[in-house]
Amino acid sequence: MNVAVQALPAMLSRLKLTALRDQLDSLLDEASRQELNLREALAFLCQAEIARKDQRRIAMGTSIAKFPCVRTLQDFEFQAQPSVDPKQIRELALGRWIASGDSLLLQGPPGVGKTHLAIALGREAIQRGYSVLFSTAVSLVAVLAKAQTEGRLEERLTQYAKPKLLIVDELGYLPLEKNAAHLFFQLVSRRYGRGAMLLTTNRSIEEWGEVFGDTVLATAILDRLLHHSHVITIHGESYRLREKRRSGLMKKAPEEGKKQ
Ligand code: ADP
Ligand code: MG
């Protein structure tokens, strides 16, 4: 065997072309089976390597994002949620709002798919090359409060300011005490104009004074969040309850049809 051919696996390793190194025989067989010319074969090999690199980047980005579960746009039943415009969601999935550091607020009662859409949009963002971090509001604030007592708040804030998209789930489920609300404000200020935020909340914007226990602070937070923002309000009943009702496990709720 020609020396260069013998050194092929080592050369591919050195060039970090791991897909080519690991699948060289089958890729070359396939290229010859398809009777590709040299240029076509090179393109075919490049495609294989890029596919592997994309796959690894997405897997890595997804694990860094710390999503609580897998939810995708493909699994989201738009017919079940008429107050969500599929065109708007598909447009948001392209990620331009992330590139420009805007905010996205998903509002609505429990069970209507806010977390599902937040995770699905986060996954889409990763596919498009954005770094993403997911956290619930409660655990985010707990991490910041702990860092504060350890004298490492600055470090943590910097860390939370890094991802291109920060997803904060379940804002408003629990009211934040004064220090927690102030820490959240510091985080929003830190990211303002730098990185996009996606927030889900069961509270309307008018109720944020209660969520943060302070209307001045709530106004300051909203001022930053709503400056360049997209707000999606989801109405309707819980998807899970609807499914149960459909399968006959529950009777129709008497208040069904009333606005929540
Ligand atoms: P929320 O965050 O608004 O309380 P979730 O996103 O957690 O609601 O939704 C509750 C459950 O119902 C999840 O398992 C979610 O995947 C599912 N779900 C909600 N809406 C839809 C939908 N339109 N299509 C498919 N699954 C949905
Ligand atoms: Mg949720």
Side-chain angles (χ1 to χ4, degrees):
M1 217 197 285
N2 169 323
V3 178
V5 170
Q6 270 180 9
L8 203 45
M11 290 195 287
L12 291 171
S13 283
R14 187 166 157 200
L15 293 170
K16 300 193 167 60
L17 301 174
T18 49
L20 297 193
R21 181 197 61 202
D22 298 345
Q23 305 159 31
L24 192 59
D25 291 343
S26 63
L27 288 170
L28 291 178
D29 286 349
E30 181 60 22
S32 73
R33 201 185 57 77
Q34 291 184 28
E35 297 180 356
L36 302 182
N37 65 31
L38 284 178
R39 187 178 289 266
E40 287 166 342
L42 188 57
F44 172 71
L45 296 175
C46 286
Q47 270 175 341
E49 187 60 45
I50 287 173
R52 159 85 72 100
K53 289 210 167 15
D54 280 348
Q55 215 177 40
R56 294 192 60 172
R57 179 181 57 75
I58 291 167
M60 179 76 85
T62 308
S63 99
I64 289 172
K66 303 213 164 51
F67 296 119
C69 53
V70 178
R71 290 290 182 275
T72 63
L73 280 189
Q74 290 76 23
D75 302 337
F76 192 80
E77 257 187 79
F78 284 97
Q79 311 91 291
Q81 204 47 268
S83 60
V84 175
D85 176 8
K87 259 201 344 235
Q88 186 182 14
I89 300 294
R90 288 198 192 102
E91 172 67 29
L92 289 167
L94 300 177
R96 275 192 286 271
W97 64 284
I98 302 172
S100 41
D102 297 353
S103 318
L104 170 61
L105 202 58
L106 301 179
Q107 270 181 340
V112 294
K114 301 182 298 296
T115 303
H116 187 134
L117 285 174
I119 295 171
L121 287 172
R123 293 172 65 92
E124 294 287 326
I126 292 169
Q127 293 201 10
R128 284 169 178 76
Y130 299 109
S131 52
V132 176
L133 181 62
F134 180 105
S135 173
T136 63
V138 167
S139 74
L140 178 85
V141 162
V143 167
L144 290 178
K146 182 161 178 279
Q148 191 178 34
T149 58
E150 290 168 353
R152 299 167 62 168
L153 180 59
E154 213 25 58
E155 208 177 295
R156 275 293 183 189
L157 284 171
T158 307
Q159 192 187 343
Y160 279 125
K162 270 193 189 138
K164 273 307 278 179
L165 171 63
L166 179 67
I167 301 177
V168 181
D169 197 26
E170 299 186 349
L171 189 68
Y173 276 83
L174 293 175
L176 299 177
E177 46 90 12
K178 198 167 190 283
N179 185 50
H182 192 70
L183 288 171
F184 188 75
F185 169 72
Q186 281 180 273
L187 173 72
V188 170
S189 306
R190 186 66 64 104
R191 289 190 62 87
Y192 179 62
R194 270 184 243 177
M197 285 183 81
L198 191 169
L199 293 110
T200 80
T201 178
N202 58 334
R203 308 292 291 264
S204 71
I205 284 172
E206 297 80 53
E207 295 174 307
W208 280 33
E210 275 168 51
V211 171
F212 293 105
D214 178 336
T215 44
V216 176
L217 195 59
T219 309
I221 290 171
L222 279 169
D223 192 49
R224 284 159 181 75
L225 285 179
L226 298 183
H227 190 206
H228 292 286
S229 70
H230 311 259
V231 179
I232 296 180
T233 305
I234 312 179
H235 306 286
E237 65 168 334
S238 155
Y239 181 83
R240 281 206 201 98
L241 293 185
R242 176 181 174 274
E243 291 295 288
K244 273 199 186 147
R245 189 142 37 240
R246 284 192 151 185
S247 63
L249 285 172
M250 268 173 68
K251 285 212 184 109
K252 198 169 183 293
E255 74 275 23
E256 193 182 26
K258 267 197 211 159
K259 200 166 174 278
Q260 304 224 20

